[in-house]
Amino acid sequence: MAPAPLLEAVDVSFTYGASTVLDRVSFTLGSSEVVSLLGPSGCGKTTLLNLIAGFRQPSSGRLLFDGAPITAPGPERAVVFQSGALFDWLTARQNIEFSLSCRGVAKAERRDVSEHVLELVGLKGAGGLYPYEMSGGMRQRVGVGRVIAARPRIMLMDEPFAAVDVQTREALQEELLRIHAATRCTIVFVTHSIEEAVFLSNRVFVLAKRGGTFDAAFDVALPAPRWDGLNRLDPEFLRLRERIYLTMKAGSPAATTGARAHALT
Amino acid sequence: MARPRPLPSGRSVPDTARFAGVGRWLLRAASLGVCLLAWQAAAQLRLDLGIVTFRNVPPPVEVAQAGIELLQSSKLFDHVTSSLSRVFAGYGLAALAGVMLGLAVGRSRLAGDVLMPPLEILRPIPAVAWIPLAVLMFPSSELSMIFITFTGALFPILLSTIHGVENVDPRLVASARSLGAGWGAILREVVLPAAAPSIVTGLAIGMGTSWFCLVTAEMISGQYGIGYYTWESYTLQNYPDIVVGMVLIGLMGMGSSALLRRAGARLTPWHSTDEARR
Ligand SMILES: Nc1ncnc2c1ncn2[C@@H]1O[C@H](COP(=O)(O)OP(=O)(O)OP(=O)(O)O)[C@@H](O)[C@H]1O
Ligand SMILES: [Mg+2]
């Protein structure tokens, strides 16, 4: 038996009025895991992320963080949004220092942290730029850095790299893995790209189209570290991509009973 | 608002286009000149068209002379400073109240339900219509004029602030909460700056209306002030001074609005580049 999980979902359901978005979802996340959520549009990925973040509460079931129910948003479960959602009136450094200012951290210490984080996200020397002076990739780096500086136990990312070009996207993915290696914080990553999910994660969850249940889960057994980007051509990588693709295409749990059973034990 | 696009650098513009640019400016200047000439002619000929007469309208040359005279006298300073201080007080209070109320109403449904019904009823009443009641309500005409200025500026500022606050990207507020910001920090550090471009627009519109209201109030209950000066010129039959007053009013209103927009653009540098990026 593994040690107590960082996050535990037990039969978590969520409804908007009459429509059930999540139906008795159960899973656990351990420390330092990177888990991707895949699934068709509208299947409830963002909703699940919102529950973990604490923006909304489950309609039924238990969602436990460190053994306690999640009741409100907090920096230990911070969110990275698509296109950054940066504060346009603050510089990169001030954006990154935001969570520290909220906690009343002294200026000198804030400075130290933001210098360190700027370097970690590859923005050394760009701390004085405002978001409107940055490229899309830089903005996203600030978005990640702003959350990293809050020292979250779980980083929740909702299609964070969906709005940048392919080259920038791959660079950001590799950088995210490097950041993960440095911080060891758990990451829940929502994406529509199977390749991105397989590349980043050690587990991939596939949500079903209807009913908001988990279709399947896949273990990604690729050698780490992956941030040199080379193993995108690894046969195991390609095979896993194909398996997930076929699962999502079939959209039926029956096709992946094996993987499902495997994941839920 | 559509801003005139800057012309590309001189070299890349074909000669014909450059000539057309110069030509257009000449045309505009000529149009202005013709209007001034027509005014001069109509006034000098004491043109009477039946429904409108130019018999008592001063010609532009006399207006210019009167303007120069006023510039050289000490009266101008008194009039301008009393108008400015009234606008400063009334508009300043309106800016403060409008932004605070707007933040409250935009963020809290309860505040909206409590504050908005009376404000909605007062809103369609033009500030100028308050003048008689204001004269009765306030002990000094100075206070009643400040009140009129306040009322004129309040609603544009309030409504723009509410609009700006309601349109703050919810992901920004969610980010701030998730990063550990409390209620007050979200309001100060996120909502206020995110709504700033809209607030600045409201402040600029409010500046225009507060001048308009002040001038009207001064004509009725003032001593000093350029509205008063304009009306006094009428009662004293100094007709050229009327037009001087009109021009001054226009200049001061336009000047203070432009100053505000300039300051606003400087305070919200991310705003003007926003659209191009998305
Ligand atoms: N505020 C809301 N009120 C009512 N229904 C909502 C609301 N937000 C989302 N939904 C519904 O919940 C379902 C799941 O939405 P969610 O945003 O979680 O999907 P998603 O998997 O993130 O989709 P996408 O991949 O397109 O982002 C959708 O059917 C959506 O219509
Ligand atoms: Mg979504």
Side-chain angles (χ1 to χ4, degrees):
Chain A
M1 222 25 237
L6 185 63
L7 187 88
E8 186 174 15
V10 184
D11 286 336
V12 167
S13 298
F14 187 82
T15 55
Y16 278 117
S19 73
T20 300
V21 178
L22 294 173
D23 187 15
R24 282 168 290 146
V25 171
S26 298
F27 61 93
T28 60
L29 296 184
S31 295
S32 309
E33 274 203 272
V34 183
V35 172
S36 284
L37 299 179
L38 281 171
S41 186
C43 70
K45 304 182 293 293
T46 298
T47 306
L48 182 55
L49 225 56
N50 283 339
L51 294 183
I52 302 174
F55 294 130
R56 293 175 183 278
Q57 269 67 55
S59 311
S60 69
R62 284 180 305 145
L63 190 58
L64 305 177
F65 175 77
D66 238 359
I70 294 169
T71 55
E76 69 283 356
R77 288 166 279 109
V79 186
V80 179
F81 289 93
Q82 185 177 341
S83 84
L86 300 182
F87 304 127
D88 284 327
W89 47 93
L90 301 181
T91 60
R93 173 175 288 113
Q94 290 168 327
N95 265 284
I96 287 170
E97 290 178 3
F98 187 87
S99 65
L100 304 164
S101 314
C102 291
R103 279 193 285 130
V105 174
K107 193 169 179 181
E109 194 188 334
R110 284 204 315 249
R111 246 311 158 94
D112 287 347
V113 174
S114 61
E115 271 316 304
H116 174 72
V117 170
L118 279 167
E119 191 166 350
L120 193 62
V121 297
L123 287 177
K124 200 167 187 235
L129 293 183
Y130 283 89
Y132 63 91
E133 299 170 313
M134 298 177 202
S135 69
M138 292 167 83
R139 293 169 64 102
Q140 206 51 50
R141 288 189 164 100
V142 176
V144 172
R146 186 175 68 178
V147 163
I148 292 291
R151 296 195 146 277
R153 308 274 305 280
I154 299 187
M155 178 152 65
L156 304 165
M157 309 182 81
D158 196 354
E159 304 186 36
F161 306 149
V164 295
D165 63 275
V166 180
Q167 278 89 351
T168 310
R169 192 176 215 211
E170 294 193 348
L172 287 169
Q173 290 166 357
E174 284 153 29
E175 227 147 272
L176 183 62
L177 286 182
R178 206 173 295 129
I179 290 169
H180 177 253
T183 61
R184 305 306 297 164
C185 98
T186 301
I187 296 175
V188 181
F189 195 99
V190 171
T191 177
H192 281 282
S193 157
I194 300 174
E195 152 151 357
E196 184 168 64
V198 174
F199 181 73
L200 291 175
S201 321
N202 64 298
R203 279 196 293 164
V204 177
F205 293 162
V206 177
L207 274 79
K209 191 171 217 142
R210 302 208 155 269
T213 52
F214 277 14
D215 243 4
F218 299 87
D219 279 327
V220 182
L222 289 170
R226 286 179 236 165
W227 55 72
D228 52 15
L230 282 178
N231 75 338
R232 288 180 203 268
L233 298 173
D234 187 306
E236 170 66 19
F237 180 89
L238 298 174
R239 209 167 50 238
L240 194 55
R241 242 178 72 178
E242 187 180 316
R243 257 178 70 204
I244 297 176
Y245 174 76
L246 292 174
T247 305
M248 291 180 71
K249 190 133 196 206
S252 110
T256 57
T257 326
R260 182 187 172 86
H262 168 74
L264 299 181
T265 47
Chain B
M1 234 148 282
R3 227 183 269 179
R5 253 182 306 156
L7 279 174
S9 73
R11 205 158 304 157
S12 63
V13 181
D15 273 357
T16 47
R18 205 180 328 165
F19 180 75
V22 175
R24 286 182 64 197
W25 281 109
L26 282 176
L27 195 63
R28 289 168 182 171
S31 157
L32 211 63
V34 168
C35 285
L36 280 173
L37 275 178
W39 172 15
Q40 180 78 32
Q44 226 158 29
L45 297 171
R46 301 176 167 265
L47 197 64
D48 192 343
L49 299 174
I51 49 164
V52 54
T53 172
F54 284 80
R55 233 175 327 130
N56 291 317
V57 173
V61 175
E62 278 177 37
V63 171
Q65 282 165 353
I68 292 167
E69 250 168 64
L70 181 66
L71 274 177
Q72 285 161 347
S73 78
S74 63
K75 273 195 308 184
L76 177 67
F77 183 77
D78 293 340
H79 288 304
V80 168
T81 47
S82 45
S83 282
L84 273 178
S85 61
R86 284 164 196 158
V87 164
F88 196 74
Y91 176 82
L93 285 174
L96 211 67
V99 171
M100 305 254 273
L101 286 174
L103 281 175
V105 170
R107 285 298 292 169
S108 138
R109 177 134 36 113
L110 179 68
D113 287 342
V114 172
L115 297 170
M116 279 320 274
L119 289 170
E120 283 292 349
I121 287 175
L122 295 179
R123 183 157 74 100
I125 302 171
V128 175
W130 276 93
I131 292 177
L133 194 61
V135 171
L136 294 175
M137 282 166 68
F138 290 96
S140 78
S141 62
E142 205 57 38
L143 277 178
S144 64
M145 282 184 285
I146 289 173
F147 173 75
I148 298 300
T149 321
F150 167 84
T151 314
L154 178 68
F155 287 103
I157 297 173
L158 174 67
L159 296 180
S160 299
T161 306
I162 293 176
H163 176 78
V165 170
E166 283 177 344
N167 282 307
V168 172
D169 184 348
R171 293 177 317 160
L172 295 181
V173 177
S175 289
R177 286 178 71 199
S178 150
L179 291 168
W183 181 88
I186 288 176
L187 204 61
R188 260 179 295 114
E189 320 274 334
V190 179
V191 174
L192 189 62
S198 183
I199 295 176
V200 167
T201 305
L203 287 174
I205 298 172
M207 183 53 94
T209 52
S210 81
W211 268 107
F212 163 77
C213 296
L214 173 73
V215 165
T216 319
E218 280 179 345
M219 285 191 180
I220 293 161
S221 65
Q223 299 165 317
Y224 292 113
I226 37 178
Y228 170 77
Y229 169 80
T230 307
W231 190 251
E232 184 201 34
S233 306
Y234 166 74
T235 50
L236 298 178
Q237 302 192 330
N238 294 333
Y239 296 149
D241 290 345
I242 295 181
V243 184
V244 173
M246 288 164 64
V247 170
L248 265 179
I249 290 164
L251 282 178
M252 302 209 37
M254 194 173 75
S256 41
S257 271
L259 217 74
L260 236 141
R261 276 184 212 281
R262 185 69 60 86
R266 190 161 288 186
L267 278 174
T268 59
W270 65 91
H271 183 56
S272 46
T273 41
D274 231 18
E275 287 97 67
R277 192 155 272 285
R278 308 255 146 122

